[in-house]
Structure formats: structure tokens, C-alpha cells
Amino acid sequence: MFYLDESGTISKNKPHASNMRDVYFIICFVHTHDPEQLKKVYRRTMKKLRRTFADYFATHVRNPREPKGSELTPIMKHYFISELIQKTDITVSYVVIDNRHIKDVFRENDARTFNFFVKYLLQLKELDARDQEHLHLNIDNRNVSLMNMHQLEEYLATELVLTEKVRHVQVEYLDSRDSYGVRTADLFANLLYQRLRYRRNPFPDYHLQDRIRKKSPIHPASLEWVFQQFKASGRLQSYFYIPTQKN
């Protein structure tokens, strides 16, 4: 079972060199065979973060019951990801689209482009036996692909079932308020996006003390550091840059 979310935009025009905000569009895939365990770990971890950083959540988070990945500092992201690695079976894959270099045809229809790159990753990714039998995708219902809620399922059935990559495809669109898997995908999608956008810049509030780990002195966690720690865990299964470039 996969949970998908996106970060960034597919720009209608080639971004200006100084406008890093519109450079990248990322589709993140979080895989699990145990969504109930993922839900339990997510809820416990977020509860601890809210309690430990109560002042931060009160002033920096719009909805403390459902914080967005963009609202968590690198230290919080690192703790959250560490808990997920230790206590769940999740793995992560992703596609990065660089708007500076894609062909104009990809700018014409957001939903079509999203569907194409979902298929692109799934075709190249090695799926286990359970996913080959029944490929189940859960997508944030605020996603760009919502122009036609059945379009992606039909497209993947054509591309993956008829080529015998999988036997069945099921696509569901979920409200993130009701799906901890979608929220987890949002966390990783934002980490991947911010890591590229702010690669040479410090992140606000990264100096917050690590009151969970109670370590002193703390590591001045950067987004790149958080990403590299996750990559070293072995849970990052596959990633693709469009056009091709080094990670």
C-alpha cells in the first residue's frame, strides 16, 4: 500500500533563476503493509512533539491537531522520522521534477503530468508480491490530479495491468484529516522539497533545543543533515530526477 503527496508546483513557465520557490515539484510515495501500526506511531509521536514543544506549536502551527510538514523544524522532522524508522515498516520513494528543464508539454496539464510521473516511478520500481497482486494508492484529495478522480486508476490499469506489472490497481483520494499515511507522505514530501529549496540557507528555529533527546550540545540540524540521516537508514528505496541529475 502506498500513500502519495506532493510538494511544490508544476510551473506554467520556466522559473527565473532567482525564484527557487517554483523550481521543484516533488511526488512522494510512502509504502507500508501495516497502516494501523503507522497510525499508532504517528499519533504517539505527534502527541509527544506537541507536549514537548507546546510553545512552538501554539505560535507557529496553524492547526496543532494536524500540523503540516512545512511547519515542523528539522529537529522535529528528524525525531519523527527516527520514530517511524524504528517502529514501522515504511519505505519512501520519490520523483523530483525540475521546472527549469522540463519540456513545455509537461506544463500544459497538471493532472496529466502528475499521472505520468506516478506511472513512471511505478514502472521502474521493483514491487513486492503483495503489491504486484493488488497495487493500492492513497492520495491526498487536495492533489493536482483531482481533475478526474478516476483518470489515474484507469491510466495505471492500462499501463501496468495490461503490461502485467500488476494484476489489480486501486486508487483512493483521502482527506489528510482522516489519513495518517497521507500525513506521513506530506512530512516526507516537504522534507524533500525544503531540502532542495533551502539547500544553502539556514532553516528558521533550527536552534531549538532537543528537549526530547536531552542531548547537549545539540547537533545544529539542517534539512540536508536530516535527509542524509534518513537515507543512511536504508528506507529510501528509489528516487528519480527529471531531467536526470545527481542526488
Side-chain angles (χ1 to χ4, degrees):
M1 178 181 292
F2 289 90
Y3 293 92
L4 278 67
D5 199 15
E6 63 189 43
S7 192
T9 60
I10 301 171
S11 61
K12 296 301 182 184
N13 300 291
K14 183 178 179 178
H16 189 273
S18 62
N19 183 14
M20 292 301 293
R21 180 176 182 178
D22 295 331
V23 168
Y24 298 108
F25 178 68
I26 293 174
I27 307 171
C28 181
F29 299 66
V30 172
H31 182 270
T32 181
H33 282 311
D34 193 348
E36 282 303 311
Q37 176 66 7
L38 175 57
K39 175 181 176 180
K40 291 176 184 177
V41 173
Y42 186 103
R43 293 178 66 178
R44 286 198 301 264
T45 306
M46 186 56 70
K47 182 178 180 180
K48 189 167 186 178
L49 283 176
R50 285 198 300 265
R51 184 173 63 247
T52 304
F53 296 102
D55 51 346
Y56 179 89
F57 273 74
T59 56
H60 290 73
V61 179
R62 180 178 298 181
N63 179 7
R65 306 303 302 179
E66 189 190 347
K68 302 302 180 185
S70 59
E71 296 173 316
L72 301 181
T73 68
I75 287 174
M76 296 175 189
K77 285 183 172 74
H78 179 249
Y79 175 69
F80 214 123
I81 291 169
S82 297
E83 291 294 290
L84 291 170
I85 291 171
Q86 294 174 26
K87 300 173 182 178
T88 75
D89 67 343
I90 68 160
T91 57
V92 174
S93 303
Y94 64 93
V95 177
V96 176
I97 294 92
D98 188 330
N99 286 305
R100 295 169 297 185
H101 305 298
I102 59 173
K103 296 178 180 178
D104 287 340
V105 67
F106 288 114
R107 308 183 197 279
E108 296 173 359
N109 185 308
D110 289 349
R112 183 176 63 197
T113 299
F114 177 87
N115 293 349
F116 174 83
F117 285 116
V118 169
K119 182 266 298 184
Y120 178 87
L121 184 140
L122 292 171
Q123 277 187 325
L124 296 177
K125 181 177 176 59
E126 184 176 345
L127 302 176
D128 65 28
R130 291 169 66 176
D131 292 318
Q132 290 176 34
E133 179 65 27
H134 185 89
L135 180 63
H136 189 177
L137 306 182
N138 298 286
I139 303 177
D140 188 345
N141 64 8
R142 290 168 293 188
N143 196 275
V144 296
S145 65
L146 277 176
M147 291 176 63
N148 183 335
M149 294 187 69
H150 301 291
Q151 186 182 62
L152 178 58
E153 186 171 287
E154 294 170 355
Y155 178 54
L156 292 179
T158 300
E159 296 292 327
L160 302 180
V161 176
L162 295 184
T163 59
E164 300 184 349
K165 172 81 174 184
V166 301
R167 292 194 63 186
H168 303 284
V169 175
Q170 178 183 358
V171 177
E172 292 188 76
Y173 292 89
L174 306 178
D175 191 320
S176 61
R177 291 177 298 180
D178 305 318
S179 173
Y180 293 92
V182 169
R183 295 190 205 180
T184 302
D186 168 72
L187 172 69
F188 282 101
N190 181 260
L191 168 64
L192 296 165
Y193 174 75
Q194 287 190 335
R195 174 214 173 206
L196 294 173
R197 182 181 174 188
Y198 298 109
R199 178 166 280 180
R200 294 179 177 84
N201 299 311
F203 189 89
D205 301 310
Y206 80 88
H207 60 280
L208 283 174
Q209 292 188 16
D210 189 355
R211 284 170 276 177
I212 291 177
R213 301 296 188 189
K214 301 187 183 303
K215 291 180 180 177
S216 181
I218 65 168
H219 190 289
S222 65
L223 293 157
E224 180 66 27
W225 181 79
V226 176
F227 172 80
Q228 293 300 335
Q229 292 294 305
F230 173 64
K231 186 177 180 181
S233 73
R235 298 296 187 91
L236 179 59
Q237 284 202 332
S238 51
Y239 50 87
F240 303 95
Y241 283 74
I242 312 298
T244 302
Q245 65 183 58
K246 291 184 179 180
N247 181 22

